[in-house]
Amino acid sequence: MSVMLPESSLNRRRFLTAVLAGSAALAFGDLAFPRAARAAAGGGPFTLPPLPYADNALSPSISANTIGFHYGKHHQGYVNNLNQLVAGTPLADQSLEAVIKASVGAVDKTAIFNNAAQVWNHTFYWNSLRPKGGGKPTGALAELIEKSFGGFDQFKTEFAKAATSQFGSGWAWLVKDGDKLAVTKTGNADTPIVHGLKPLLTIDVWEHAYYLDYQNRRADYVAAVLDKLINWDFAAQNLAT
Ligand code: MN
């Protein structure tokens, strides 16, 4: 998504208000500030989207301390690295999704792919969570889960299994694959959007996502995310668009 907004401070303020109001659709993606303005501000073409909630809003399941490092250091770091890697190249004028698709599998663009995909995956992850999340989906999403997995409990078991069994760093995903839903996992920066799949939700299972709060207990982190934080509204919105 690429939305060009007028440059007045009034419009910029309106934009920020809309993002901070928590619209996942606005908070996510390659939004808003004209590239030239951002580059002139020294930030490079890609920016760290605002968190859709306060840094302590997911506590105690995910602490503000974890968010501080994960969002403030890791996610920001991927943005910074990407900006350095594409500076002065044609990719600096592309959307984040276009950079990911242009760099996947290119041997001379591995670092660009890794950082771009990690920027995208993390923004998707923050939106996959919400305070007082968890519970069960409703409507068309609930029906499709029933049809694809045989029931919500079966889905949950399969998703947790993918998240806990991913060897090393990576991600577990609920995706739309054709007319059905599926659970999949990816290693390191790999992302379903380069595999013809439409992501609905993700859980980050890199150690930096849970080690400060759970140490080696990845299964406890995954259970807390599924029971208390997962954002079914975001999944339903992704299914509908
Ligand atoms: Mn992460």
Side-chain angles (χ1 to χ4, degrees):
M1 177 157 46
S2 183
V3 181
M4 298 296 280
L5 289 179
E7 261 298 81
S8 79
S9 60
L10 177 63
N11 276 299
R12 178 168 295 195
R13 207 155 50 234
R14 280 183 184 147
F15 165 72
L16 287 172
T17 304
V19 168
L20 294 171
S23 161
L26 272 178
F28 183 53
D30 176 43
L31 281 173
F33 303 120
R35 294 298 175 91
R38 283 190 248 148
F46 298 100
T47 55
L48 181 67
L51 262 190
Y53 31 73
D55 66 355
N56 62 356
L58 306 182
S59 177
S61 299
I62 297 177
S63 67
N65 191 32
T66 288
I67 297 281
F69 282 98
H70 196 181
Y71 172 74
K73 303 294 183 188
H74 290 278
H75 197 179
Q76 179 73 67
Y78 296 126
V79 172
N80 295 347
N81 290 341
L82 179 61
N83 280 328
Q84 287 178 5
L85 287 163
V86 301
T89 78
L91 290 177
D93 298 320
Q94 302 289 313
S95 71
L96 182 61
E97 289 81 359
V99 171
I100 291 167
K101 287 169 183 171
S103 59
V104 63
V107 290
D108 60 335
K109 295 187 176 67
T110 303
I112 291 174
F113 174 79
N114 285 339
N115 284 283
Q118 283 293 80
V119 172
W120 196 97
N121 289 347
H122 279 87
T123 303
F124 198 86
Y125 169 65
W126 302 126
N127 284 285
S128 294
L129 311 178
R130 70 175 178 91
K132 299 190 173 71
K136 295 181 177 182
T138 56
L141 178 55
E143 287 170 23
L144 200 49
I145 284 177
E146 185 80 29
K147 180 182 159 194
S148 304
F149 299 98
F152 181 76
D153 290 343
Q154 288 91 327
F155 152 76
K156 203 170 156 183
T157 300
E158 197 171 323
F159 199 27
K161 187 180 167 194
T164 52
S165 66
Q166 166 60 28
F167 186 77
S169 297
W171 303 82
W173 305 84
L174 172 63
V175 297
K176 187 153 185 279
D177 182 8
D179 61 357
K180 291 187 81 175
L181 301 184
V183 162
T184 186
K185 52 189 178 179
T186 59
N188 298 317
D190 193 15
T191 181
I193 66 173
V194 298
H195 300 292
L197 301 168
K198 182 185 181 65
L200 304 189
L201 289 172
T202 193
I203 302 180
D204 186 342
V205 297
W206 284 58
E207 285 187 345
H208 66 223
Y210 60 89
Y211 223 82
L212 293 174
D213 296 328
Y214 297 87
Q215 294 78 50
N216 61 321
R217 294 174 285 113
R218 188 194 287 188
D220 291 352
Y221 155 72
V222 169
V225 167
L226 282 172
D227 289 338
K228 294 172 181 165
L229 300 180
I230 207 80
N231 185 350
W232 287 113
D233 292 341
F234 181 61
Q237 181 188 320
N238 290 323
L239 181 64
T241 54

